[in-house]
Amino acid sequence: MLSKPLDATDKRILTVLQREARLSNVDLAKRVGLSPSPCLARVRALEEADVIGRYVALVNPETVGLGVNVFIRVTLERQVEKALERFESRMHAYPEVMECYLMTGDSDYLIRILVRDNSEVERFIVQNLSTIEGVANINSSFALKQVKYKTEMEAP
């Protein structure tokens, strides 16, 4: 937890790092109008407070053969603690699961998988999802085109 609210400088640091995480501290400091030492101290404080959770490289899925993006809604027989824990534990074990959310509404979970082709979607549903105890309904939708995707957010 940050000891103080984010100020304008912290927000500038976050904006720049979200766009260019490999930027050196010296270059980051120049961009946000600080000298290197205070800039590094601020970045470390943001990391320690878990405002910056990690640094990643974003891979274009199609360039590595993962061109099928599927959203799957899952309904459980009962939404009890053990069933939720079981389902969530299994989601962590599947590398094709990119995102998984506990939802309100008609479905209990929304997951997004990224796979090579339709046969991998079938395998995932038949061999993985349908074998989880307590799964009552599975409904999938294939993404035809990605209209918007971003990883960068504005700090409030």
Side-chain angles (χ1 to χ4, degrees):
M1 185 77 157
L2 275 177
S3 58
K4 61 177 182 60
L6 296 176
D7 64 15
T9 303
D10 291 328
K11 291 177 184 180
R12 284 195 307 274
I13 289 170
L14 292 172
T15 297
V16 172
L17 284 178
Q18 286 183 95
R19 292 180 186 153
E20 299 177 68
R22 293 184 67 185
L23 204 58
S24 73
N25 181 60
V26 171
D27 290 336
L28 176 62
K30 286 178 189 172
R31 295 245 190 116
V32 300
L34 290 174
S35 59
S37 184
C39 182
L40 184 58
R42 282 180 179 256
V43 170
R44 287 199 174 133
L46 292 167
E47 292 168 346
E48 288 169 11
D50 210 27
V51 174
I52 298 174
R54 63 184 176 174
Y55 297 89
V56 299
L58 299 175
V59 176
N60 179 346
E62 291 182 7
T63 65
V64 294
L66 298 173
V68 179
N69 203 2
V70 183
F71 294 86
I72 304 173
R73 291 169 302 287
V74 176
T75 305
L76 302 179
E77 291 169 354
R78 294 179 11 166
Q79 210 182 57
V80 295
E81 188 174 354
K82 281 284 188 213
L84 298 173
E85 288 173 0
R86 183 182 314 111
F87 184 84
E88 291 171 17
S89 174
R90 294 283 293 272
M91 290 303 101
H92 287 286
Y94 301 133
E96 57 270 86
V97 174
M98 302 303 293
E99 299 176 75
C100 178
Y101 301 94
L102 178 62
M103 305 294 289
T104 63
D106 295 337
S107 300
D108 295 315
Y109 287 95
L110 175 65
I111 65 176
R112 180 173 73 89
I113 65 169
L114 199 51
V115 294
R116 293 181 190 286
D117 55 35
N118 292 351
S119 67
E120 287 191 9
V121 176
E122 178 186 8
R123 179 201 50 76
F124 178 78
I125 290 172
V126 172
Q127 294 178 11
N128 296 341
L129 279 184
S130 66
T131 64
I132 300 172
E133 184 183 339
V135 169
N137 190 29
I138 300 167
N139 186 308
S140 59
S141 298
F142 286 72
L144 298 177
K145 176 173 91 172
Q146 187 176 71
V147 176
K148 181 177 180 176
Y149 172 77
K150 68 182 223 168
T151 61
E152 193 178 317
M153 67 181 88
E154 242 181 79

